[in-house]
Amino acid sequence: MVVERSDPAADPRLAARLLEVQHAAYGVEARLIGDDRIPALHEDLPALVGAGLDWLVARDGGTVLGALGMRATGGEVDVDRLVVDPAHARRGTGRALVAAVLAGAGGRRVTVSTGRDNTPARRLYAQAGFRETGEREVLPGLWVVDAEWVAGAAREP
């Protein structure tokens, strides 16, 4: 598996594949949390390409396994979305993408939000050293958990 920066705006085939993976991955999350109002689940191709995200894409040969879309500012990197093709789930793709964003953070704080009832995602972030900072209701009845990773911060085992 190789994780590399990619620009779906410059590669229409990649953009279409990322949208497929995103819809499939958020379909799994919708089932886990019992709510299909996840905005990225209903995103179309122009919205994905125009989201203003920097992308890391995990591939095995020519196969896109998953991707991570993020926004970096001066002191912070926000993971906007992490998607893994369900056909390739539980094989380290999510871990590799998270590790790549942390390695490239350059000492900046990294933040992420995920569905409160998305236990696999919460476990993945916790294992990577993220600390949950709170919960919030983003739509009536739709809750997310916010988490952060700070370079050099003490971690509990």
Side-chain angles (χ1 to χ4, degrees):
M1 173 187 343
V2 174
V3 175
E4 59 192 2
R5 289 191 176 275
S6 297
D7 182 5
D11 184 344
R13 288 179 56 202
L14 173 62
R17 178 64 182 137
L18 289 181
L19 187 65
E20 289 173 3
V21 171
Q22 178 172 294
H23 284 168
Y26 281 114
V28 170
E29 182 171 9
R31 287 188 294 281
L32 283 171
I33 68 172
D35 196 320
D36 71 352
R37 295 177 297 157
I38 304 166
L41 178 60
H42 306 287
E43 194 169 62
D44 62 12
L45 195 56
L48 181 139
V49 171
L53 300 174
D54 295 319
W55 288 90
L56 294 173
V57 178
R59 301 173 200 256
D60 183 8
T63 303
V64 172
L65 306 175
L68 184 148
M70 64 189 153
R71 285 188 179 86
T73 60
E76 185 172 294
V77 177
D78 180 58
V79 175
D80 183 84
R81 61 194 76 179
L82 171 63
V83 295
V84 174
D85 184 334
H88 301 283
R90 306 236 184 257
R91 297 182 192 166
T93 302
R95 264 191 323 276
L97 288 161
V98 170
V101 77
L102 297 179
R108 292 176 288 185
R109 173 178 177 253
V110 180
T111 60
V112 68
S113 299
T114 192
R116 180 175 67 185
D117 296 328
N118 187 343
T119 303
R122 290 177 73 178
R123 186 177 315 118
L124 169 71
Y125 294 121
Q127 289 172 347
F130 282 80
R131 178 180 61 84
E132 292 185 359
T133 58
E135 297 180 356
R136 59 192 163 89
E137 189 175 24
V138 293
L139 294 169
L142 181 60
W143 289 84
V144 297
V145 171
D146 297 317
E148 70 176 0
W149 178 89
V150 179
R155 307 268 185 246
E156 292 184 22

